[in-house]
Amino acid sequence: MPDVRNWQLGRSMTYPYPEHHPDWQFAFVFNINRCIACQTCSMACKSTWTFSKGQEAMWWNNVETKPYGGYPHHWDVQLLELLDGAHEAAGIDPTWGAAAAGAEAPYGSYDGMTIFEAAAREQPQTQQALGYLPADEEWRAPNIFEDVGPAGRPAPGSLGLEAAGAELPEHKAYFFYLQRLCNHCTYPACLAACPRKAIYKRPEDGVVLIDQSRCRGYRKCVEACPYKKSMYRPSTRVSEKCVACYPRLEGADPLSDGVPMETRCMAACPGRIRLQGLVPIDPDGTWADDRQNPINFLVRHEKVALPLYPQFGTEPNGFYIPPRWAPRPYLRQMFGPGVDEAIARYRAPSRELLAVLQLFRASETVIFRYEIEEGPKVFENEIDGKPWAMYDDTVIGFDKIGREVVRLSVEEPVHQRSAPHPNSI
Amino acid sequence: MSRRSMSPAHGLGIGAFALALVLSILGVPVTSAQGTTVFADRVEGPLPVDAPFDAAWDRARAAEIVLSGQPVTPPKLMEPTVASIRVRSLVDDTRIAILLEWDDATRDESVLAVESFSDAAAIQFALGSGTSICMGQQAGGLNLWHWKADWAADLAGRRDVGDVHPGMPDDVAFPSAGTDDAFAIDGSRAGRAAGNLRSAATLVSSVEDLNAVGFGSLTSQSVGGQNVHGASEFRDGRWRVVMSRELAPADPNDAALRPGSAAATVAFAVWDGSRGDRDGQKSVSTWLALTFEPAPVSLLDIWPFLVMLALALGMSGVMVWYGLRQPDAGLGWPNGRPDGGGGP
């Protein structure tokens, strides 16, 4: 089996196909700290793509409550358990070695097994990836355990509130929302597992699609995708998945003015938690060093956004700013060893990061490049015992052909009307 | 002692050879091994293409074929879920029907739940000589007939989610049929809009006609090319499936079967839906020969062969007679006992 380079693991890994990379990669950053689980993204997707018969339980985009929620039920816990079992059987203690950290190994090096390696270790190897097929009932409650968290230590008669109040860095009673869609992985497990070769990754934008004319409904992709984002549609007897709103990505939507436009779920977010982009990929598969691309800046330079379960080994292209208040061991299991640094950087953002964070949901047009115009210092404070200052900088976003599409300042402009105005209170 | 006449053993041997020669010329199989040859017998009366339990099948010779798992390419099945199948075949002047029969504790004919898979069976025919039993190869393809229990059940009327979830609202098909939008009917059913046979609103047969030239290349023939008829019945823990087709269609992607010509090369596969079988997770046979019972032969058809045979036997007789007339050297046998090799 060929070896492929997975920068999120800081090493090479086995994959059924040799490396072959797109020119651009669809990628996104979600700021978990801001999400209110209003499900506007879920409905935007559903009303666009999955509103028909046979798609009743199909949510290409969903928002679930962690730690107990999951669509399908406990998808991540079930796979983690399988992977744990494989590690135990092999006598391997999967850890991350920090020693190898570098530009192409930002989180160190993972020395456990990926889902591909766990499957290859089975002799004879019968499957391409470790996985399981969730049954019908497991897809029927997209936000089960909504807002349920582990109980803390509530004081008597305190309505469940902590006796001492909640304090960072970790709340004892906590939950957070996890926004999920297909990660359009660099090494998709769905594609690896499809015996039909009906799944392909587009060279122009890295979007992973199921060819609806070739799919034979074997559900090997549903079984293999660690994120469970390939879904079976009984009405057509074939599987479907997120298409990354590719007509919008291609600039084919009438509103797009011919340049790439964000997907429906991204563009609909009222909480401004989402930023979607296309990152340029070098021929060797590494991310081109394009610091002015906002996704590239957040993921590779600032390292404030992290991949979801990188240890699965598919190199997902969705990245998350982890929630500040959740227990760190839980977050490290979910986002890898970069969690502590990411949260520290988000709690006390650099001047540039604070400006780039303003770009979230600022425009439907995909922002390919940003620039910052410096403004005056407006606030000073101390965070974690260190001085921190805020500047009213202006961030400017540009579309694919270099046109300015958005201009925002860190401080929201305020106009105070004079008292005699007829509406004034 | 010199040899002056043939021993009884030699006479028997030459006689058996002559008989085998005659039978071979007449197209009667001389050897038979259980489980490696399927005989397509000529049917008396109509071909029972729609009747898997018709009495005519009892008169056809059954081959018991042992199946193994599929240990070649993922997804693999290391141990077969179905141990063996019985295969019979009948032909008339224009069509061939092949009956597959196997034991199966469960009748699995729904694929409406994520985790439910259908029972299925397939026959593959080699197209040309340079093919591979493992889904064929570029140098030589395969023609496959794939029967599916869910397709058979859908023939009467396509089932949908409402059949397994009666409470499911049925007003979610949108846009509704009848508008003049090009996407109105099928646009939101992507598989159907893409022309996928699995998603088709109506099925013409429970058997899909396909071709393959290697792993991952399996492709349905066009709707117009679907010419394999299916009939199936599940009775007392047993599936009986009949697949039938015109013997030699004009389509070059269809395996042409011609009685009287060389045996066709075939293989069989079975899937047990409730065991999660699908795709490569199947129980398979090795290559087998599908041979045809010859048509009744008249002397008029074979007179050139008979003349040649008579000439050959005549010349052999002359040579034997000539040999017997020679002194000790005989026909080149050493002196003494011809089959003992010793001296006088």
Side-chain angles (χ1 to χ4, degrees):
Chain A
M1 210 182 280
D3 263 0
V4 296
R5 175 77 192 173
N6 183 326
W7 66 263
Q8 295 175 2
L9 303 183
R11 65 171 173 87
S12 294
M13 62 165 205
T14 56
Y15 187 69
Y17 297 105
E19 284 193 52
H20 192 74
H21 297 282
D23 301 330
W24 293 86
Q25 176 61 54
F26 169 87
F28 54 85
V29 171
F30 290 170
N31 185 353
I32 290 176
N33 295 274
R34 301 188 65 138
C35 180
I36 57 167
C38 64
Q39 307 285 358
T40 309
C41 49
S42 305
M43 289 315 298
C45 175
K46 194 151 200 38
S47 60
T48 308
W49 298 109
T50 64
F51 51 81
S52 292
K53 199 160 192 170
Q55 296 176 314
E56 292 85 354
M58 193 185 280
W59 297 86
W60 291 354
N61 180 102
N62 77 294
V63 180
E64 57 201 41
T65 304
K66 290 297 176 193
Y68 297 136
Y71 165 80
H73 296 191
H74 314 306
W75 60 275
D76 50 349
V77 182
Q78 295 197 55
L79 186 57
L80 287 166
E81 193 174 18
L82 285 174
L83 202 53
D84 261 0
H87 281 121
E88 269 170 36
I92 296 172
D93 179 24
T95 54
W96 290 82
E104 284 306 315
Y107 319 123
S109 176
Y110 174 65
D111 60 16
M113 292 188 290
T114 66
I115 56 170
F116 305 112
E117 291 160 344
R121 199 180 171 89
E122 288 281 315
Q123 284 306 325
Q125 179 182 0
T126 58
Q127 307 293 333
Q128 297 287 19
L130 186 69
Y132 77 100
L133 184 65
D136 235 18
E137 315 81 74
E138 297 175 54
W139 299 88
R140 303 218 166 265
N143 196 6
I144 195 169
F145 300 117
E146 180 174 12
D147 292 6
V148 175
R153 294 195 203 96
S158 66
L159 300 174
L161 299 172
E162 289 284 323
E167 272 183 33
L168 290 175
E170 287 182 20
H171 293 182
K172 289 188 183 68
Y174 77 98
F175 63 80
F176 64 89
Y177 302 119
L178 189 67
Q179 315 75 29
R180 305 205 306 115
L181 62 141
C182 171
N183 287 297
H184 296 277
C185 301
T186 304
Y187 305 112
C190 59
L191 186 156
C194 179
R196 302 274 309 133
K197 299 191 177 83
I199 303 183
Y200 61 104
K201 191 168 172 68
R202 305 210 307 180
E204 62 267 41
D205 51 22
V207 167
V208 177
L209 297 175
I210 301 177
D211 182 338
Q212 291 292 293
S213 68
R214 284 197 61 74
C215 177
R216 290 180 65 79
Y218 295 142
R219 288 155 267 177
K220 297 308 292 186
C221 57
V222 185
E223 190 176 320
C225 171
Y227 305 102
K228 297 298 170 234
K229 282 297 176 186
S230 267
M231 296 161 197
Y232 178 65
R233 182 173 178 184
S235 286
T236 56
R237 319 281 203 258
V238 293
S239 294
E240 297 179 352
K241 67 178 285 299
C242 162
V243 296
C245 293
Y246 67 82
R248 291 166 68 97
L249 272 192
E250 291 168 357
D253 187 289
L255 289 176
S256 69
D257 199 17
V259 292
M261 195 180 186
E262 286 191 334
T263 66
R264 289 277 291 130
C265 61
M266 311 286 173
C269 177
R272 298 185 60 187
I273 81 142
R274 294 181 172 221
L275 181 70
Q276 181 228 306
L278 286 155
V279 291
I281 302 293
D282 279 340
D284 67 355
T286 55
W287 284 27
D289 188 19
D290 183 6
R291 187 193 169 91
Q292 298 309 116
N293 181 306
I295 303 288
N296 192 311
F297 170 75
L298 292 165
V299 174
R300 299 304 293 272
H301 287 268
E302 205 70 13
K303 291 190 260 186
V304 70
L306 302 167
L308 179 62
Y309 292 114
Q311 66 268 39
F312 292 163
T314 61
E315 205 184 291
N317 288 300
F319 300 88
Y320 295 81
I321 301 177
R324 290 168 302 159
W325 60 89
R328 296 295 170 88
Y330 184 73
L331 293 178
R332 286 185 207 112
Q333 171 180 269
M334 186 171 276
F335 301 110
V339 161
D340 300 280
E341 188 185 346
I343 291 179
R345 285 173 185 249
Y346 183 68
R347 272 169 56 77
S350 68
R351 197 168 165 176
E352 192 172 357
L353 173 58
L354 195 60
V356 171
L357 286 173
Q358 310 308 313
L359 289 174
F360 281 63
R361 279 304 313 110
S363 161
E364 279 198 304
T365 303
V366 171
I367 296 168
F368 281 73
R369 183 171 63 86
Y370 71 88
E371 278 175 15
I372 292 172
E373 284 175 5
E374 295 196 345
K377 184 194 281 186
V378 291
F379 182 68
E380 273 183 325
N381 194 8
E382 208 170 76
I383 298 177
D384 296 335
K386 289 177 193 155
W388 182 80
M390 189 173 104
Y391 297 83
D392 189 18
D393 295 334
T394 299
V395 62
I396 309 152
F398 300 89
D399 70 8
K400 189 172 187 183
I401 53 175
R403 293 178 299 188
E404 178 181 325
V405 290
V406 68
R407 177 180 285 262
L408 294 121
S409 55
V410 169
E411 280 224 301
E412 198 169 341
V414 175
H415 174 68
Q416 201 161 10
R417 289 178 302 196
S418 55
H421 191 277
N423 265 355
S424 59
I425 298 166
Chain B
M1 190 177 127
S2 66
R3 178 183 167 77
R4 295 282 173 194
S5 61
M6 281 191 289
S7 71
H10 275 95
L12 203 61
I14 288 175
F17 175 76
L19 181 66
L21 193 67
V22 172
L23 289 175
S24 296
I25 287 168
L26 293 178
V28 177
V30 176
T31 56
S32 169
Q34 181 80 353
T36 59
T37 305
V38 175
F39 297 104
D41 293 330
R42 261 196 101 72
V43 69
E44 294 157 18
L47 202 59
V49 293
D50 283 313
F53 283 92
D54 192 283
W57 289 112
D58 299 334
R59 294 190 287 275
R61 282 171 281 182
E64 181 85 15
I65 292 161
V66 176
L67 303 181
S68 64
Q70 187 282 113
V72 179
T73 191
K76 297 174 187 170
L77 180 71
M78 300 314 291
E79 296 295 330
T81 49
V82 178
S84 67
I85 53 169
R86 286 164 296 286
V87 182
R88 296 172 176 87
S89 179
L90 290 170
V91 285
D92 63 13
D93 289 337
T94 55
R95 294 183 72 82
I96 180 167
I98 300 175
L99 173 79
L100 309 186
E101 177 185 352
W102 71 97
D103 299 332
D104 188 344
T106 53
R107 175 179 185 165
D108 312 311
E109 48 189 8
S110 171
V111 292
L112 289 170
V114 179
E115 70 279 20
S116 62
F117 297 92
S118 167
D119 290 333
I123 308 170
Q124 72 177 27
F125 299 87
L127 292 173
S129 54
T131 190
S132 158
I133 193 166
C134 300
M135 301 313 290
Q137 55 193 16
Q138 287 292 337
L142 300 175
N143 178 207
L144 302 103
W145 302 353
H146 190 253
W147 169 86
K148 303 164 187 66
D150 62 312
W151 280 29
D154 274 347
L155 276 176
R158 188 177 174 84
R159 297 159 300 165
D160 211 324
V161 284
D163 296 300
V164 275
H165 301 291
M168 192 76 82
D170 62 356
D171 58 351
V172 289
F174 179 85
S176 57
T179 67
D180 54 4
D181 185 341
F183 285 101
I185 295 165
D186 293 332
S188 52
R189 293 181 181 89
R192 189 178 298 173
N196 195 320
L197 277 184
R198 297 183 67 79
S199 313
T202 52
L203 294 166
V204 293
S205 170
S206 59
V207 181
E208 189 178 7
D209 193 4
L210 307 115
N211 290 97
V213 288
F215 294 128
S217 69
L218 186 67
T219 301
S220 305
Q221 291 189 8
S222 65
V223 174
Q226 296 292 324
N227 55 2
V228 184
H229 181 73
S232 49
E233 201 174 324
F234 186 83
R235 196 185 280 182
D236 306 328
R238 239 182 342 157
W239 271 116
R240 270 197 176 199
V241 174
V242 182
M243 297 187 232
S244 59
R245 199 202 63 187
E246 191 186 328
L247 276 165
D251 186 346
N253 289 323
D254 283 338
L257 305 169
R258 293 190 175 86
S261 65
T265 307
V266 296
F268 302 92
V270 179
W271 290 260
D272 185 1
S274 59
R275 306 275 291 270
D277 284 359
R278 76 271 202 197
D279 184 58
Q281 293 166 237
K282 60 189 172 185
S283 306
V284 296
S285 77
T286 56
W287 279 127
L288 301 150
L290 174 67
T291 56
F292 295 88
E293 187 181 78
V297 179
S298 80
L299 281 180
L300 216 59
D301 293 331
I302 58 164
W303 71 263
F305 294 102
L306 290 178
V307 170
M308 293 291 285
L309 181 67
L311 274 173
L313 287 174
M315 285 179 72
S316 305
V318 169
M319 288 179 75
V320 169
W321 171 79
Y322 182 75
L324 289 174
R325 286 193 59 206
Q326 297 304 307
D328 297 343
L331 279 170
W333 280 311
N335 287 339
R337 286 168 52 85
D339 48 359

